[in-house]
Amino acid sequence: MQSCNACRFCGAKLQTTFVDLGKTPLCETFLNSEALGKPESFYPLHAFVCGECFLVQLPEHVSPPEIYRDYPYFSSFSSSWVAHARDYCASIVNQLRLDSSSLVVEVASNDGYLLQHFVEREIPCVGIEPAENVALVAREKGITTETAFLGKEVADQFAQRHGLADLVIANNVLAHVPDINDFIQALKMLLGPEGRATLEFPHLLCLMREIQFDTIYHEHFSYLSLFFVEQAFARWGLRVFDVEEIPTHGGSLRVHVAHSESNRGSRSERMERVLADEVDYGLRTLDVYGSFGRDVVKLKNELLLFLITAKKSGKKVVGYGAPGKGNTLLNYCGIRSDLLEYTVDISPHKQGLYTPGTHIPIYSPDKIFETKPDYLLILPWNLATEITQQMHAIRAWDGKFVTPVPKITVH
């Protein structure tokens, strides 16, 4: 386990606070009614920035096996996320000319939300997923899925069984691994000599610009800039040669990676532009990181003022969604059922449970139409467009939507 005062990439001493969000439970440890009266485990949510490599990170207070033992997040419950995966599949198959002789490997493949699109095209694929309960759903879809945490030993054994991949996909997983160096080496071991890896991750620049503090939780060990990712992959003989800016998770990057000795060209113009944006914002100096915590406190106070004012006015506010980011926001702001009566979630795996730490009940979305609240606070604000379309019927009683990030917006 990582030392609490050493950078997980370069080993330098961590001395500069990025933001301190107090102590929270693990964001996916939802409670049943029997557990409400029992003690909960809370862990520090104090993020630092390394003064040497500028990696923003949380010390590893909880190991991945503890987090993913029985994981309640299933990607397929977001229609926009499945559509995003389908579009990616169509594009990358065309770019790389993948066919029945190719091999696609996805790391952290979840419930098969993405690989199902390769299966439909009869392109061989294998998923590597650490959560057994989630992997089981993928297998039921006919997707070959191995249950493991990717590391060098797992990669070596996997390559011996399946061969090297023409395409390795790792969406929203690089931030989730405590040992970045081991993970990158494992990716290299999976990738064929002229193969390509693509990785998606929330962009640190967007997190800071949009005050997306609620995306900080214990599953996310790292918060990534393109500058950091490029140097991290270069250390282990991999080259980031292109990047796409994509809207998922409040603003993400999709990087394209190949072996350093491959025939890929030099940095794309898109890479140069994103790297320049990061420099302009100040991500290669420590000064800009110190102001983030003050912005977070201001946003917290504005949200609490809105909720308290609504309560005093006799208005009913409920939540939509029970995402990891929502549990960071609720715990940091101290929001409980006195201010947010309940929340709803489309996933049946969360319905009937309570949010960790704050104990807000989670219902089916049908509850909203039974109680007709005045405001619907969208906790997965990155899916606000999808949710407002799904729940547009609340306009019938003059219900309004509220998004909390990057500022309180009522619409």
Side-chain angles (χ1 to χ4, degrees), residues 154-224:
V154 168
D156 180 57
Q157 295 171 357
F158 185 95
Q160 290 181 43
R161 287 193 301 274
H162 299 283
L164 298 177
D166 300 283
L167 172 65
V168 176
I169 306 163
N171 289 346
N172 299 302
V173 61
L174 185 59
H176 292 241
V177 295
D179 191 340
I180 286 182
N181 292 302
D182 179 70
F183 184 81
I184 294 173
Q185 291 175 82
L187 288 180
K188 181 178 176 66
M189 294 167 68
L190 295 176
L191 191 63
E194 292 300 323
R196 184 184 304 191
T198 67
L199 298 91
E200 296 180 14
F201 51 86
H203 192 190
L204 175 63
L205 181 59
C206 294
L207 184 157
M208 296 178 69
R209 277 177 173 168
E210 302 296 316
I211 322 176
Q212 298 168 356
F213 74 93
D214 53 348
T215 61
I216 297 172
Y217 43 87
H218 298 101
E219 287 179 25
H220 290 169
F221 294 106
S222 302
Y223 304 83
L224 303 160

Side-chain angles (χ1 to χ4, degrees), residues 178-338:
D179 191 340
I180 286 182
N181 292 302
D182 179 70
F183 184 81
I184 294 173
Q185 291 175 82
L187 288 180
K188 181 178 176 66
M189 294 167 68
L190 295 176
L191 191 63
E194 292 300 323
R196 184 184 304 191
T198 67
L199 298 91
E200 296 180 14
F201 51 86
H203 192 190
L204 175 63
L205 181 59
C206 294
L207 184 157
M208 296 178 69
R209 277 177 173 168
E210 302 296 316
I211 322 176
Q212 298 168 356
F213 74 93
D214 53 348
T215 61
I216 297 172
Y217 43 87
H218 298 101
E219 287 179 25
H220 290 169
F221 294 106
S222 302
Y223 304 83
L224 303 160
S225 66
L226 180 58
F227 168 71
F228 171 80
V229 168
E230 183 181 30
Q231 64 176 320
F233 277 82
R235 171 186 277 190
W236 301 110
L238 291 168
R239 183 157 48 86
V240 180
F241 63 89
D242 195 12
V243 66
E244 300 170 64
E245 295 178 275
I246 55 180
T248 57
H249 298 289
S252 296
L253 298 180
R254 177 190 291 146
V255 294
H256 295 252
V257 180
H259 290 288
S260 295
E261 63 274 15
S262 75
N263 293 321
R264 299 292 175 192
S266 57
R267 280 180 181 171
S268 68
E269 291 184 5
R270 294 190 294 192
M271 273 193 71
E272 297 289 1
R273 184 174 62 251
V274 173
L275 288 167
D277 287 345
E278 292 182 351
V279 169
D280 290 345
Y281 194 76
L283 294 191
R284 297 193 201 178
T285 65
L286 286 177
D287 293 344
V288 72
Y289 296 94
S291 64
F292 183 72
R294 295 190 293 274
D295 294 335
V296 171
V297 171
K298 180 181 178 182
L299 183 56
K300 169 184 176 178
N301 291 338
E302 290 173 352
L303 176 57
L304 288 172
L305 178 61
F306 168 80
L307 293 173
I308 292 169
T309 301
K311 186 75 171 182
K312 287 182 176 179
S313 302
K315 302 294 186 181
K316 179 183 294 186
V317 186
V318 305
Y320 189 101
K325 59 170 56 71
N327 288 324
T328 290
L329 182 143
L330 295 173
N331 278 281
Y332 172 64
C333 296
I335 298 169
R336 291 176 172 77
S337 56
D338 56 337

Side-chain angles (χ1 to χ4, degrees), residues 65 67-72 74 110-111 128-140 145-149:
I67 294 173
Y68 296 101
R69 185 176 293 115
D70 185 27
Y71 197 52
F74 292 77
N110 201 264
D111 60 5
I128 303 174
E129 167 57 44
E132 177 60 37
N133 66 312
V134 179
L136 179 61
V137 174
R139 294 188 194 109
E140 291 172 349
T145 306
E146 298 192 2
T147 304
F149 289 93

